[in-house]
Amino acid sequence: MNLAFLEPLYDRPGPWASVYVAGRAAPEDATARQRTGARALSDRLHGQGADAATCRAVYGALDALPRASGPAGYAVFAADGEVVLRTPLASAPSGEPGVSWGALPRVAPLPRLTAGPPSALRRAAEAMEHFLAARVPDDEGRTNATEGVPTLVEAAREHRIDALLVRPDGPDLHREVWVGDDPDQLAVRHSEHRYLGAPEPAASRADDALLRSAATTGADVVYVQAEHLAPGTPRGLPAGGLGALLRWPYGGAKEEPGEAGEEGAFR
């Protein structure tokens, strides 16, 4: 899945309000219920520290959602008193509506909730086949795949990621990393000032930070779930739930995005 449609979220600094809601049915009191729900969600944002203008913008967007019909749900993203993106969801978010206020927009749930081509679910098997082969070092000790937050952060800074693999149940998805305003300003530790380039870096989830990099560098994103993998595929990979196929191998000559050959590329 290509995340280019998320680029408006990365054209401005945060903090960001992110809200995921299920679509509404059409009972007689739908208008009143939707208004009450919109108020409750904007109040939750305010309780997390969101400014009043952004809370009002989110309330207005939620109150204006189609009531009688429409998609299974919506994701709404706002910053600095303005709704920047409202996107329909093909699947309804499970559980309580997701509401967050943070340095980066909470985009990690989007790839599995938005509509994609029918072949997308079975692409996971192909991606894992490439990944398993690419993580084996060649005769010169180079690999075309990596996994784990520290090496993924390094690869993201270098625009080395060709396809980001995300296992939704992986423990590293919510691991804390540090980010600046620019997508390339990404580090594992707060003390890595040379990478952050910001006087006040902010903490973020690893999945949201890596998805920001994928969206701004044209990398593909593939969700890897056990039920979509070929029989015999090792479970628990990529390690920690996050991995990548690389545009050029570690130890190899740098190639610009779009110039990668068949080895190590997944499209």
Side-chain angles (χ1 to χ4, degrees), residues 149-228:
V149 171
T151 56
L152 285 169
V153 164
E154 179 184 350
R157 286 197 301 257
E158 298 175 349
H159 299 187
R160 190 184 288 264
I161 295 176
D162 185 54
L164 180 68
L165 277 61
V166 181
R167 179 164 54 87
D169 62 347
D172 280 355
L173 272 65
H174 54 76
R175 178 171 169 176
E176 183 179 82
V177 297
W178 294 88
V179 299
D181 291 339
D182 190 280
D184 293 340
Q185 294 174 341
L186 176 62
V188 175
R189 289 175 291 276
H190 182 274
S191 59
E192 295 179 303
H193 301 293
R194 66 187 184 279
Y195 298 129
L196 292 168
E200 294 294 334
S204 173
R205 288 176 55 119
D207 54 0
D208 286 328
L210 291 169
L211 285 165
R212 177 176 70 162
S213 176
T216 56
T217 61
D220 197 11
V221 176
V222 180
Y223 266 65
V224 178
Q225 301 187 72
E227 59 267 32
H228 303 146

Side-chain angles (χ1 to χ4, degrees), residues 11-100:
D11 289 340
R12 64 175 74 191
W16 286 88
S18 307
V19 180
Y20 288 80
V21 294
R24 302 301 188 196
E28 294 181 358
D29 61 347
T31 299
R33 291 181 60 190
Q34 181 159 330
R35 187 156 296 158
T36 300
R39 175 60 63 195
L41 293 175
S42 62
D43 287 346
R44 284 176 59 186
L45 279 173
H46 187 265
Q48 294 181 24
D51 60 277
T54 300
C55 290
R56 286 194 298 269
V58 169
Y59 170 80
L62 296 175
D63 186 47
L65 294 178
R67 298 181 176 92
S69 62
Y74 291 91
V76 176
F77 303 95
D80 197 25
E82 179 184 356
V83 172
V84 178
L85 182 66
R86 188 191 77 173
T87 186
L89 304 177
S91 301
S94 59
E96 291 293 314
V99 178
S100 64

Side-chain angles (χ1 to χ4, degrees), residues 94-129:
S94 59
E96 291 293 314
V99 178
S100 64
W101 174 251
L104 296 182
R106 180 80 182 100
V107 300
L110 270 180
R112 61 184 175 84
L113 295 176
T114 51
S119 62
L121 295 179
R122 290 171 293 284
R123 293 181 71 243
E126 182 184 355
M128 281 300 293
E129 182 180 351

